[in-house]
Amino acid sequence: MPCSDGRSAGKKVLELRVIGIESGQACGFRKSVVRNIPVACACGLYLIPIFGWLLALAVCGFEFLLMLGNSSGWRLGDDFAGTIVIENRVGSAAPASPG
């Protein structure tokens, strides 16, 4: 569940934060929903026995391969929402926007 500062509980523990690429501001609710559409689709497919499990695995595998193939390591959901995950440590700067 996203928090108001662009971090879930897990991201707080790992000191990560989701920000908008263009604005550099914390990820809002709408962008968080868009960012998690691929994961939600995989979870929905998992409810269908056997065939759905295979499709869910394919969706997760596809997203993983895209993440590995992307030089920035972005997920498909990050591309959809225009977000990026950054370290939230003191003195860390936001990365430059692509392109």
Side-chain angles (χ1 to χ4, degrees):
M1 170 174 250
C3 298
S4 62
D5 61 352
R7 298 188 296 168
S8 62
K11 285 185 181 58
K12 282 186 179 186
V13 170
L14 295 173
E15 297 183 3
L16 299 173
R17 190 169 153 223
V18 181
I19 62 168
I21 294 170
E22 293 177 4
S23 68
Q25 300 297 319
C27 176
F29 180 76
R30 182 173 185 224
K31 284 193 177 207
S32 180
V33 169
V34 171
R35 183 177 184 272
N36 287 299
I37 284 174
V39 175
C41 289
C43 289
L45 289 170
Y46 190 74
L47 297 173
I48 303 169
I50 301 172
F51 184 68
W53 300 341
L54 295 173
L55 282 176
L57 183 63
V59 168
C60 290
F62 180 69
E63 181 158 340
F64 180 72
L65 289 175
L66 285 176
M67 186 175 62
L68 287 179
N70 186 330
S71 62
S72 301
W74 295 356
R75 293 180 33 224
L76 182 61
D78 286 323
D79 285 336
F80 284 165
T83 58
I84 189 168
V85 178
I86 62 167
E87 291 183 17
N88 195 44
R89 297 197 172 112
V90 175
S92 66
S97 61

